[in-house]
Amino acid sequence: MTTYKAGKYDVIVVGAGHAGCEAALACARMGLKTVVFTINLDSIALMPCNPAIGGPAKGHLVREVDALGGEMAVNTDKSLIQMKMLNTKKGPAVRALRAQTDKRIYQDSMKLTLERQDNLDVKQAEVVEIIVKNGKVQGVVTRTGAVFEGKAVIITTGVYLKSRIIIGEVNFSGGPSGLFPANRLSECLKGFGFELGRFKTDTSPRIDIRSIDFSKMTIQYGDEKIIPFSFTTPHIEIEQVPCWLTYTTEETKNIILDNIGRSPLFKGDIKGKGPRYCPSIEDKVVRFMDKPRHQVFIEPEGRTTTEIYVQGMNTSLPEDIQVKMIRTIPGLENAEIMRAGYGIEYDYIVPTQLKPNLETKTINGLFTAGQINGTSGYEEAAAQGIIAGINAALYVKGEEPLLLDRSDAYIGVLIDDLITKGIKEPYRMLTSRAEYRLILRQDNADLRLTEKGYRLGLIDEERYKKFLKKKEMIETELQRLTETKLTPTEEIQEKLTDELGSSPLKEPSNLIELLRRPEIKYDSLKVFDYDTQHELPREAKEQVEIQVKYKGYIEKQTNQISQFKRMESRKLPKDIDYDKIKGLRTEARENLKKVMPDSIGQASRISGVNPADISILLIYLEQQKRIRSAEDDK
């Protein structure tokens, strides 16, 4: 193939899905000349699965991306057609926003954002080769022979690497939604010595809204008052589009079981491991035989299309079986499928080969982010994308990387899980994975991360000043509530017992102590206090109430974080030779050599490394410290 020099950039991003968009925007906004490649310009920010953003843990990631200066939350607010706050009856740690979006508007809006971004070029081309010299990335080569030089390269190819579409007995090389696969880049990565794995996922059929009988379903409305995803969106007032809930039936189950022999999953035609937390309907039926039915959500794909996504019916069954099983669901008896569901198999890079900044361990300047790292979901991809983009920019600038740990953000939990524990199935972010989730709430993501985004240049001055004002309002209000005293007068006691259903005061108290009572909400304090508290914006009131009511739990978790930080501060030498450390078990030694952890804390989270192994490492570090001290005394 004849090649020619086509351009020179600071950072090259390969792929323009949810990871690639965030990576490219971060680099460009940090002042670096950046180019992003996509196989098809019309597939930028594509949602090949359900057109929704957020949910438990995933919503936390979106808020964190936004707090760092990313685009996903802003773009979601622009394109949403329904918004709901989930888990409102539970504690603040697990509450999460979920937005149903207009698929086309989401794509078009993100595409335009990329196109209008200074320092960023957007190009349609398939990258087939990464250029590496002396262990350092130099650029990329496209399928047409164009050579683009770059100081850093970020691979965000999603599920496109050697991707294969499977629908029953039919399978062919292809990407999501009829797009081309990327077949050559996998071989290039293998040639560099990277270990690749194979995963699979499924998507649901899309049906025509005109063929649905909604009278047999339960309508699902959005929240009356919309809370935006982005901290920068002041308010949203739109006419929301409803979703609907229905269920599979015994007949659905029978059709699937009668045709399970035609399922590529159970025939063994699919080799890749699928996601445990988003299984295909045939997998659910077989795994949960005792369940008489499964939930099916009917989700619009947008305001200007009749396409409806059938959430909960992910499948790779033959198309004729898809038609039969869909029509056994109440309300879908006459459903017309516009796009059949399909399975897709693809290559991914084993993520234990990455550093905490998402740079590969063997090639300097080569970063990876998104589903190529073995994750599932738009939100997990975007979270990795912005971190890879930030760190690629810092790498080019010769500055220290941004490293978020497990106590900083859900993003830190996500990356640490990937690079430390490894994966055996597509990774999905869950609130249960975050041990400090009371601290890492979605509502305080800006308080945790905006300072970092500002220092990186991703948060502008206007936004930063608003953030500081919010922070000041919270601190001032907490102080005021502490200083405002109530005495147990007859009027106060009546308000407590009659209006608020609370117990009377036994002695003088302040408003903070009252707010700690479970039955008293922040706005309830108005009956005692007519000062400025009612003028606070919603998000400031929310922070005041949470910080007061959960103070004891927050302090306990803060102490746990201090212990965690101490373990993380015990650094392991980069040139450590685990083969020379006596007492380590074989399994621990092999896994430590594979991951090469940065600290004792990270070592303790590696699969197969137990407390006894950690004790041996601590003894080794102490011995090395004494040896160095003795040498210094000579």
Side-chain angles (χ1 to χ4, degrees):
M1 178 176 64
T2 302
T3 61
Y4 67 98
K5 290 187 177 181
K8 194 172 184 178
Y9 292 88
D10 293 316
V11 182
I12 297 169
V13 181
V14 183
H18 303 282
C21 289
E22 296 293 351
L25 288 170
C27 291
R29 289 168 177 173
M30 290 175 70
L32 299 186
K33 187 180 179 184
T34 308
V35 62
V36 59
F37 290 100
T38 175
I39 285 179
N40 189 320
L41 286 173
D42 296 325
S43 68
I44 289 174
L46 176 68
M47 292 180 165
C49 205
N50 60 320
I53 297 292
K58 290 172 174 282
H60 293 65
L61 290 173
V62 178
R63 278 285 181 92
E64 290 176 353
V65 169
D66 182 66
L68 287 169
E71 197 67 23
M72 177 172 267
V74 175
N75 205 53
T76 299
D77 289 343
K78 290 178 184 177
S79 59
L80 72 85
I81 59 176
Q82 187 192 99
M83 183 73 87
K84 293 184 82 168
M85 180 70 79
L86 306 181
N87 297 329
T88 54
K89 295 181 180 179
K90 298 182 180 180
V94 294
R95 291 173 199 157
L97 285 170
R98 184 182 188 274
Q100 196 71 26
T101 65
D102 186 303
K103 181 178 179 177
R104 179 53 59 188
I105 292 176
Y106 189 95
Q107 286 182 246
D108 290 346
S109 178
M110 187 66 86
K111 181 173 182 281
L112 188 60
T113 299
L114 263 64
E115 291 169 344
R116 288 180 171 175
Q117 177 62 49
D118 292 341
N119 301 318
L120 180 60
D121 291 338
V122 184
K123 295 183 181 294
Q124 178 171 299
E126 180 188 350
V127 171
V128 296
E129 183 184 343
I130 309 296
I131 305 171
V132 176
K133 290 182 180 178
N134 300 319
K136 188 175 181 180
V137 76
Q138 301 290 312
V140 302
V141 182
T142 71
R143 190 174 186 176
T144 57
V147 176
F148 291 86
E149 296 178 46
K151 300 172 185 174
V153 172
I154 309 172
I155 307 178
T156 63
T157 46
V159 299
Y160 287 81
L161 290 186
K162 294 188 76 173
S163 53
R164 183 172 71 110
I165 301 296
I166 307 113
I167 307 173
E169 297 90 350
V170 177
N171 69 83
F172 52 88
S173 178
S177 300
L179 295 166
F180 291 114
N183 288 329
R184 292 172 59 182
L185 197 53
S186 282
E187 299 308 316
C188 177
L189 292 172
K190 286 181 182 177
F192 292 133
F194 287 109
E195 181 186 355
L196 302 185
R198 193 85 171 152
F199 277 160
K200 78 96 182 177
T201 189
D202 300 293
T203 190
S204 289
R206 271 75 160 181
I207 59 177
D208 194 323
I209 194 171
R210 296 170 298 176
S211 62
I212 300 174
D213 182 356
F214 291 111
S215 67
K216 297 181 180 180
M217 301 178 180
T218 304
I219 196 164
Q220 306 282 298
Y221 292 110
D223 292 340
E224 186 174 337
K225 184 175 179 58
I226 296 175
I227 296 175
F229 245 124
S230 175
F231 293 102
T232 64
T233 305
H235 64 276
I236 299 174
E237 292 183 9
I238 59 167
E239 182 180 348
Q240 297 187 66
V241 177
C243 299
W244 292 267
L245 172 64
T246 183
Y247 294 88
T248 62
T249 62
E250 195 67 30
E251 189 180 356
T252 316
K253 179 178 177 180
N254 291 336
I255 287 175
I256 291 171
L257 293 176
D258 289 346
N259 293 277
I260 206 71
R262 296 182 65 193
S263 165
L265 178 63
F266 290 94
K267 283 170 61 182
D269 293 342
I270 294 178
K271 305 298 182 185
K273 181 73 174 177
R276 184 193 319 181
Y277 301 102
C278 189
S280 63
I281 184 62
E282 55 266 36
D283 196 14
K284 280 193 284 188
V285 164
V286 171
R287 283 167 56 189
F288 307 106
M289 291 286 285
D290 57 321
K291 283 203 169 187
R293 63 180 190 173
H294 296 276
Q295 286 184 328
V296 177
F297 288 95
I298 305 301
E299 300 178 340
E301 296 231 323
R303 296 181 187 274
T304 58
T305 178
T306 64
E307 270 192 276
I308 292 283
Y309 187 84
V310 188
Q311 170 75 345
M313 294 298 287
N314 303 349
T315 185
S316 57
L317 283 166
E319 195 167 353
D320 59 314
I321 304 304
Q322 291 187 37
V323 173
K324 289 179 181 178
M325 72 177 184
I326 284 288
R327 290 179 177 175
T328 64
I329 296 171
L332 302 182
E333 293 87 351
N334 299 306
E336 289 294 334
I337 292 180
M338 298 177 72
R339 304 191 201 206
Y342 59 87
I344 182 168
E345 264 192 340
Y346 55 94
D347 285 349
Y348 72 95
I349 188 168
V350 175
T352 51
Q353 299 167 101
L354 304 175
K355 300 176 186 177
N357 64 345
L358 295 181
E359 184 183 16
T360 62
K361 291 177 179 177
T362 55
I363 299 177
N364 294 331
L366 180 62
F367 297 76
T368 63
Q371 284 185 271
I372 188 177
N373 289 343
T375 57
S376 66
Y378 313 139
E379 303 85 355
E380 290 88 343
Q384 294 171 73
I386 193 168
I387 296 300
I390 288 168
N391 283 318
L394 293 173
Y395 167 84
V396 172
K397 292 180 176 184
E399 299 177 13
E400 288 297 309
L402 172 71
L403 304 178
L404 300 179
D405 66 35
R406 302 183 72 87
S407 64
D408 292 324
Y410 267 76
I411 296 175
V413 176
L414 164 65
I415 293 173
D416 185 63
D417 279 352
L418 292 175
I419 68 170
T420 302
K421 299 178 181 179
I423 50 176
K424 295 182 180 178
E425 62 190 35
Y427 180 99
R428 176 175 179 166
M429 193 71 246
L430 305 168
T431 53
S432 60
R433 298 190 192 273
E435 57 268 55
Y436 308 119
R437 55 186 171 274
L438 186 54
I439 301 291
L440 308 181
R441 305 183 309 275
Q442 64 147 21
D443 60 78
N444 70 352
D446 60 335
L447 299 176
R448 291 185 280 116
L449 298 173
T450 300
E451 290 277 1
K452 296 180 187 297
Y454 175 70
R455 289 199 300 269
L456 291 163
L458 295 175
I459 300 293
D460 63 29
E461 285 293 337
E462 182 182 0
R463 177 176 176 179
Y464 187 61
K465 286 178 182 177
K466 289 180 180 178
F467 161 74
L468 292 178
K469 183 178 180 181
K470 172 185 172 180
K471 197 174 177 183
E472 182 184 6
M473 282 191 292
I474 295 167
E475 293 168 355
T476 301
E477 181 63 6
L478 287 169
Q479 183 64 31
R480 195 184 66 81
L481 293 179
T482 302
E483 295 171 352
T484 305
K485 306 288 185 180
L486 294 179
T487 54
T489 63
E490 184 177 345
E491 180 187 6
I492 293 294
Q493 303 291 46
E494 284 181 0
K495 287 180 177 180
L496 274 171
T497 56
D498 298 346
E499 294 186 40
L500 301 181
S502 191
S503 58
L505 292 177
K506 294 181 180 180
E507 57 187 28
S509 177
N510 60 25
L511 291 179
I512 283 277
E513 290 167 342
L514 275 186
L515 187 53
R516 290 198 182 107
R517 296 184 178 189
E519 69 276 8
I520 293 183
K521 304 298 182 186
Y522 179 85
D523 284 332
S524 304
L525 300 178
K526 289 178 183 178
V527 301
F528 310 109
D529 175 37
Y530 297 96
D531 205 343
T532 57
Q533 61 93 11
H534 60 279
E535 298 175 2
L536 287 179
R538 175 200 58 79
E539 57 271 21
K541 291 181 184 180
E542 179 182 51
Q543 288 307 305
V544 169
E545 183 165 327
I546 290 172
Q547 289 184 33
V548 170
K549 287 190 176 297
Y550 293 89
K551 181 182 178 183
Y553 298 103
I554 290 172
E555 287 178 348
K556 183 178 179 181
Q557 211 153 83
T558 301
N559 291 333
Q560 292 172 343
I561 289 173
S562 295
Q563 296 173 11
F564 163 79
K565 293 285 189 183
R566 283 196 291 273
M567 292 286 278
E568 295 300 301
S569 67
R570 299 295 300 273
K571 297 298 182 182
L572 291 164
K574 293 187 181 299
D575 59 351
I576 188 170
D577 187 347
Y578 291 104
D579 288 325
K580 292 182 179 180
I581 302 177
K582 295 180 180 179
L584 284 176
R585 295 173 309 108
T586 301
E587 181 186 13
R589 181 178 284 108
E590 292 303 316
N591 289 345
L592 286 164
K593 286 161 61 178
K594 185 176 182 180
V595 175
M596 291 302 291
D598 290 331
S599 67
I600 288 290
Q602 187 183 3
S604 69
R605 297 188 294 275
I606 297 174
S607 300
V609 177
N610 65 28
D613 301 311
I614 296 300
S615 295
I616 290 169
L617 287 177
L618 288 169
I619 292 170
Y620 170 81
L621 288 180
E622 188 62 30
Q623 290 173 340
Q624 295 301 303
K625 182 179 178 182
R626 289 176 182 174
I627 291 171
R628 288 193 299 271
S629 179
E631 290 175 347
D632 291 341
D633 291 340
K634 289 181 181 179

